[in-house]
Amino acid sequence: MDDYIDAEEVFGISKKKKKHAPLRRGRNRGKGADKDLFAELKLKMVMRIYNVSRVRAAAIIAGRAGERQALEEAREAKRARCLNGDETMTAEDFFNL
């Protein structure tokens, strides 16, 4: 009766810690992948909306970017003039800044 059977032998349970398989991770993307993905999505969206080619869609996007920059510069110039007190401004202009 001095002999005994370990739980490992009976149930197949190991007292040693098992190494787990490595976790599955998503596909690695580069640091700029999000920006590239957004630019590609924007390009495809413009192509579908205006029904134009890739080259024409890129031209449309570039043109809109130029318009937006000019609008922002004009808005900043107007704000600077108003803050300097060079001119009086109407209540409508004040609330539309």
Side-chain angles (χ1 to χ4, degrees), residues 51-65:
N51 196 21
V52 294
S53 68
R54 179 177 289 274
V55 174
R56 179 68 181 128
I60 290 171
I61 292 170
R64 290 290 297 150

Side-chain angles (χ1 to χ4, degrees), residues 73-88:
E73 288 174 358
R75 189 175 284 168
E76 285 298 320
K78 185 176 181 181
R79 183 173 289 142
R81 281 196 317 267
C82 291
L83 292 177
N84 288 336
D86 293 344
E87 62 184 38
T88 59

